[in-house]
Amino acid sequence: MAESLQQRFESIARHVNADSRLVHRGRYLTADLKVVVDDVPYLLRIRGGRIESLATQMPLFAPADLVIRGTAEAWAAFWEPMPRPGWHDLFALTKRGAMAIEGDSHMLFAHLQYLKDVLALPRRAPSH
């Protein structure tokens, strides 16, 4: 049975926190990210590079430093082991109109490689 997009995304916290190099890369990041996978919103609380929590239950107007939302097609293509050109990068997907990035651009660019690596984890990390 195919793994759902939500199951793939929900595996991120476990894989980030188990990767000492990734946690070290994000050690200066403390932020709340809202990531919308298809129509399911997640709130990721990142503290010192570790994912402190990942929740779908949040207040209606929960504040977030950054919001990244994408269609089911965008996330599925982005998480392929070898994504096709134009589907391989958050900015390429934004340019295509399949993804939107809103919020603190300074924080985004200061921690860009960490955030890209975290969001790309489902490409290689099985959820089981």
PDB file of all heavy atoms in Angstrom, residues 95-115:
ATOM      1  N   LYS A  95       7.885  29.041  -8.222  1.00  0.00           N
ATOM      2  CA  LYS A  95       7.829  29.650  -9.552  1.00  0.00           C
ATOM      3  C   LYS A  95       6.769  28.976 -10.416  1.00  0.00           C
ATOM      4  O   LYS A  95       6.065  29.628 -11.182  1.00  0.00           O
ATOM      5  CB  LYS A  95       9.199  29.546 -10.221  1.00  0.00           C
ATOM      6  CG  LYS A  95       9.277  30.216 -11.559  1.00  0.00           C
ATOM      7  CD  LYS A  95      10.673  30.146 -12.129  1.00  0.00           C
ATOM      8  CE  LYS A  95      10.719  30.811 -13.488  1.00  0.00           C
ATOM      9  NZ  LYS A  95      12.050  30.728 -14.079  1.00  0.00           N
ATOM     10  N   ARG A  96       6.624  27.667 -10.282  1.00  0.00           N
ATOM     11  CA  ARG A  96       5.635  26.876 -11.029  1.00  0.00           C
ATOM     12  C   ARG A  96       4.215  27.186 -10.555  1.00  0.00           C
ATOM     13  O   ARG A  96       3.246  26.892 -11.236  1.00  0.00           O
ATOM     14  CB  ARG A  96       5.976  25.400 -10.811  1.00  0.00           C
ATOM     15  CG  ARG A  96       5.062  24.396 -11.403  1.00  0.00           C
ATOM     16  CD  ARG A  96       5.568  22.991 -11.122  1.00  0.00           C
ATOM     17  NE  ARG A  96       6.743  22.665 -11.888  1.00  0.00           N
ATOM     18  CZ  ARG A  96       6.734  22.326 -13.173  1.00  0.00           C
ATOM     19  NH1 ARG A  96       5.611  22.274 -13.820  1.00  0.00           N
ATOM     20  NH2 ARG A  96       7.843  22.042 -13.791  1.00  0.00           N
ATOM     21  N   GLY A  97       4.062  27.751  -9.349  1.00  0.00           N
ATOM     22  CA  GLY A  97       2.741  28.048  -8.798  1.00  0.00           C
ATOM     23  C   GLY A  97       2.151  26.910  -7.989  1.00  0.00           C
ATOM     24  O   GLY A  97       1.000  26.972  -7.576  1.00  0.00           O
ATOM     25  N   ALA A  98       2.955  25.872  -7.732  1.00  0.00           N
ATOM     26  CA  ALA A  98       2.470  24.703  -6.991  1.00  0.00           C
ATOM     27  C   ALA A  98       2.770  24.805  -5.503  1.00  0.00           C
ATOM     28  O   ALA A  98       2.331  23.963  -4.725  1.00  0.00           O
ATOM     29  CB  ALA A  98       3.104  23.432  -7.562  1.00  0.00           C
ATOM     30  N   MET A  99       3.533  25.813  -5.119  1.00  0.00           N
ATOM     31  CA  MET A  99       3.908  25.995  -3.725  1.00  0.00           C
ATOM     32  C   MET A  99       3.959  27.493  -3.441  1.00  0.00           C
ATOM     33  O   MET A  99       4.181  28.296  -4.349  1.00  0.00           O
ATOM     34  CB  MET A  99       5.277  25.349  -3.472  1.00  0.00           C
ATOM     35  CG  MET A  99       5.550  25.035  -2.032  1.00  0.00           C
ATOM     36  SD  MET A  99       6.968  23.932  -1.834  1.00  0.00           S
ATOM     37  CE  MET A  99       6.190  22.332  -1.954  1.00  0.00           C
ATOM     38  N   ALA A 100       3.752  27.855  -2.168  1.00  0.00           N
ATOM     39  CA  ALA A 100       3.858  29.254  -1.742  1.00  0.00           C
ATOM     40  C   ALA A 100       4.675  29.306  -0.463  1.00  0.00           C
ATOM     41  O   ALA A 100       4.541  28.433   0.399  1.00  0.00           O
ATOM     42  CB  ALA A 100       2.474  29.845  -1.510  1.00  0.00           C
ATOM     43  N   ILE A 101       5.532  30.318  -0.367  1.00  0.00           N
ATOM     44  CA  ILE A 101       6.353  30.535   0.823  1.00  0.00           C
ATOM     45  C   ILE A 101       6.070  31.954   1.297  1.00  0.00           C
ATOM     46  O   ILE A 101       6.215  32.911   0.534  1.00  0.00           O
ATOM     47  CB  ILE A 101       7.857  30.370   0.510  1.00  0.00           C
ATOM     48  CG1 ILE A 101       8.132  28.980  -0.064  1.00  0.00           C
ATOM     49  CG2 ILE A 101       8.692  30.628   1.766  1.00  0.00           C
ATOM     50  CD1 ILE A 101       9.552  28.795  -0.584  1.00  0.00           C
ATOM     51  N   GLU A 102       5.652  32.071   2.562  1.00  0.00           N
ATOM     52  CA  GLU A 102       5.301  33.372   3.125  1.00  0.00           C
ATOM     53  C   GLU A 102       5.909  33.497   4.510  1.00  0.00           C
ATOM     54  O   GLU A 102       6.041  32.495   5.216  1.00  0.00           O
ATOM     55  CB  GLU A 102       3.782  33.499   3.238  1.00  0.00           C
ATOM     56  CG  GLU A 102       3.038  33.298   1.953  1.00  0.00           C
ATOM     57  CD  GLU A 102       1.556  33.025   2.169  1.00  0.00           C
ATOM     58  OE1 GLU A 102       1.142  32.827   3.324  1.00  0.00           O
ATOM     59  OE2 GLU A 102       0.824  32.994   1.171  1.00  0.00           O
ATOM     60  N   GLY A 103       6.244  34.713   4.886  1.00  0.00           N
ATOM     61  CA  GLY A 103       6.706  34.947   6.246  1.00  0.00           C
ATOM     62  C   GLY A 103       8.061  35.634   6.288  1.00  0.00           C
ATOM     63  O   GLY A 103       8.394  36.428   5.415  1.00  0.00           O
ATOM     64  N   ASP A 104       8.824  35.306   7.298  1.00  0.00           N
ATOM     65  CA  ASP A 104      10.096  35.959   7.603  1.00  0.00           C
ATOM     66  C   ASP A 104      11.177  35.534   6.608  1.00  0.00           C
ATOM     67  O   ASP A 104      11.824  34.503   6.776  1.00  0.00           O
ATOM     68  CB  ASP A 104      10.495  35.584   9.033  1.00  0.00           C
ATOM     69  CG  ASP A 104      11.748  36.287   9.510  1.00  0.00           C
ATOM     70  OD1 ASP A 104      12.486  36.857   8.678  1.00  0.00           O
ATOM     71  OD2 ASP A 104      12.002  36.255  10.733  1.00  0.00           O
ATOM     72  N   SER A 105      11.381  36.350   5.576  1.00  0.00           N
ATOM     73  CA  SER A 105      12.351  35.994   4.538  1.00  0.00           C
ATOM     74  C   SER A 105      13.787  36.002   5.080  1.00  0.00           C
ATOM     75  O   SER A 105      14.615  35.216   4.621  1.00  0.00           O
ATOM     76  CB  SER A 105      12.229  36.915   3.330  1.00  0.00           C
ATOM     77  OG  SER A 105      12.467  38.249   3.690  1.00  0.00           O
ATOM     78  N   HIS A 106      14.083  36.850   6.049  1.00  0.00           N
ATOM     79  CA  HIS A 106      15.428  36.850   6.640  1.00  0.00           C
ATOM     80  C   HIS A 106      15.712  35.507   7.298  1.00  0.00           C
ATOM     81  O   HIS A 106      16.777  34.915   7.113  1.00  0.00           O
ATOM     82  CB  HIS A 106      15.572  37.992   7.649  1.00  0.00           C
ATOM     83  CG  HIS A 106      16.937  38.045   8.257  1.00  0.00           C
ATOM     84  ND1 HIS A 106      17.262  37.411   9.429  1.00  0.00           N
ATOM     85  CD2 HIS A 106      18.069  38.643   7.819  1.00  0.00           C
ATOM     86  CE1 HIS A 106      18.537  37.610   9.705  1.00  0.00           C
ATOM     87  NE2 HIS A 106      19.056  38.347   8.751  1.00  0.00           N
ATOM     88  N   MET A 107      14.764  35.012   8.068  1.00  0.00           N
ATOM     89  CA  MET A 107      14.929  33.709   8.719  1.00  0.00           C
ATOM     90  C   MET A 107      15.055  32.605   7.669  1.00  0.00           C
ATOM     91  O   MET A 107      15.886  31.715   7.780  1.00  0.00           O
ATOM     92  CB  MET A 107      13.748  33.441   9.652  1.00  0.00           C
ATOM     93  CG  MET A 107      13.898  32.220  10.547  1.00  0.00           C
ATOM     94  SD  MET A 107      13.298  30.665   9.870  1.00  0.00           S
ATOM     95  CE  MET A 107      11.620  31.035   9.535  1.00  0.00           C
ATOM     96  N   LEU A 108      14.237  32.668   6.622  1.00  0.00           N
ATOM     97  CA  LEU A 108      14.286  31.672   5.553  1.00  0.00           C
ATOM     98  C   LEU A 108      15.677  31.609   4.936  1.00  0.00           C
ATOM     99  O   LEU A 108      16.277  30.530   4.839  1.00  0.00           O
ATOM    100  CB  LEU A 108      13.244  31.997   4.471  1.00  0.00           C
ATOM    101  CG  LEU A 108      13.337  31.170   3.184  1.00  0.00           C
ATOM    102  CD1 LEU A 108      13.008  29.715   3.448  1.00  0.00           C
ATOM    103  CD2 LEU A 108      12.409  31.756   2.124  1.00  0.00           C
ATOM    104  N   PHE A 109      16.214  32.752   4.537  1.00  0.00           N
ATOM    105  CA  PHE A 109      17.509  32.747   3.858  1.00  0.00           C
ATOM    106  C   PHE A 109      18.671  32.489   4.809  1.00  0.00           C
ATOM    107  O   PHE A 109      19.680  31.909   4.408  1.00  0.00           O
ATOM    108  CB  PHE A 109      17.698  34.032   3.062  1.00  0.00           C
ATOM    109  CG  PHE A 109      16.811  34.066   1.849  1.00  0.00           C
ATOM    110  CD1 PHE A 109      15.739  34.941   1.790  1.00  0.00           C
ATOM    111  CD2 PHE A 109      17.009  33.193   0.797  1.00  0.00           C
ATOM    112  CE1 PHE A 109      14.897  34.948   0.690  1.00  0.00           C
ATOM    113  CE2 PHE A 109      16.172  33.190  -0.307  1.00  0.00           C
ATOM    114  CZ  PHE A 109      15.112  34.077  -0.364  1.00  0.00           C
ATOM    115  N   ALA A 110      18.539  32.873   6.068  1.00  0.00           N
ATOM    116  CA  ALA A 110      19.602  32.593   7.040  1.00  0.00           C
ATOM    117  C   ALA A 110      19.733  31.097   7.319  1.00  0.00           C
ATOM    118  O   ALA A 110      20.813  30.616   7.657  1.00  0.00           O
ATOM    119  CB  ALA A 110      19.329  33.350   8.347  1.00  0.00           C
ATOM    120  N   HIS A 111      18.644  30.351   7.159  1.00  0.00           N
ATOM    121  CA  HIS A 111      18.636  28.913   7.477  1.00  0.00           C
ATOM    122  C   HIS A 111      18.175  28.088   6.279  1.00  0.00           C
ATOM    123  O   HIS A 111      17.644  26.985   6.445  1.00  0.00           O
ATOM    124  CB  HIS A 111      17.721  28.660   8.683  1.00  0.00           C
ATOM    125  CG  HIS A 111      18.148  29.422   9.888  1.00  0.00           C
ATOM    126  ND1 HIS A 111      19.208  29.040  10.676  1.00  0.00           N
ATOM    127  CD2 HIS A 111      17.682  30.582  10.417  1.00  0.00           C
ATOM    128  CE1 HIS A 111      19.370  29.919  11.652  1.00  0.00           C
ATOM    129  NE2 HIS A 111      18.462  30.859  11.516  1.00  0.00           N
ATOM    130  N   LEU A 112      18.406  28.607   5.079  1.00  0.00           N
ATOM    131  CA  LEU A 112      17.864  27.995   3.868  1.00  0.00           C
ATOM    132  C   LEU A 112      18.296  26.546   3.676  1.00  0.00           C
ATOM    133  O   LEU A 112      17.462  25.680   3.424  1.00  0.00           O
ATOM    134  CB  LEU A 112      18.247  28.827   2.637  1.00  0.00           C
ATOM    135  CG  LEU A 112      17.646  28.357   1.325  1.00  0.00           C
ATOM    136  CD1 LEU A 112      16.132  28.382   1.372  1.00  0.00           C
ATOM    137  CD2 LEU A 112      18.152  29.238   0.185  1.00  0.00           C
ATOM    138  N   GLN A 113      19.581  26.251   3.803  1.00  0.00           N
ATOM    139  CA  GLN A 113      20.014  24.875   3.550  1.00  0.00           C
ATOM    140  C   GLN A 113      19.433  23.906   4.571  1.00  0.00           C
ATOM    141  O   GLN A 113      19.009  22.805   4.229  1.00  0.00           O
ATOM    142  CB  GLN A 113      21.543  24.762   3.533  1.00  0.00           C
ATOM    143  CG  GLN A 113      22.023  23.417   3.016  1.00  0.00           C
ATOM    144  CD  GLN A 113      21.558  23.163   1.589  1.00  0.00           C
ATOM    145  OE1 GLN A 113      21.826  23.941   0.689  1.00  0.00           O
ATOM    146  NE2 GLN A 113      20.847  22.059   1.375  1.00  0.00           N
ATOM    147  N   TYR A 114      19.391  24.313   5.818  1.00  0.00           N
ATOM    148  CA  TYR A 114      18.778  23.471   6.848  1.00  0.00           C
ATOM    149  C   TYR A 114      17.313  23.191   6.511  1.00  0.00           C
ATOM    150  O   TYR A 114      16.867  22.044   6.528  1.00  0.00           O
ATOM    151  CB  TYR A 114      18.897  24.142   8.216  1.00  0.00           C
ATOM    152  CG  TYR A 114      18.109  23.453   9.303  1.00  0.00           C
ATOM    153  CD1 TYR A 114      18.623  22.339   9.955  1.00  0.00           C
ATOM    154  CD2 TYR A 114      16.841  23.903   9.674  1.00  0.00           C
ATOM    155  CE1 TYR A 114      17.895  21.689  10.951  1.00  0.00           C
ATOM    156  CE2 TYR A 114      16.109  23.268  10.662  1.00  0.00           C
ATOM    157  CZ  TYR A 114      16.644  22.163  11.298  1.00  0.00           C
ATOM    158  OH  TYR A 114      15.921  21.520  12.273  1.00  0.00           O
ATOM    159  N   LEU A 115      16.550  24.240   6.195  1.00  0.00           N
ATOM    160  CA  LEU A 115      15.130  24.071   5.904  1.00  0.00           C
ATOM    161  C   LEU A 115      14.907  23.210   4.665  1.00  0.00           C
ATOM    162  O   LEU A 115      14.032  22.347   4.650  1.00  0.00           O
ATOM    163  CB  LEU A 115      14.458  25.434   5.752  1.00  0.00           C
ATOM    164  CG  LEU A 115      14.398  26.254   7.043  1.00  0.00           C
ATOM    165  CD1 LEU A 115      13.975  27.692   6.750  1.00  0.00           C
ATOM    166  CD2 LEU A 115      13.470  25.608   8.050  1.00  0.00           C
TER     167      LEU A 115
END
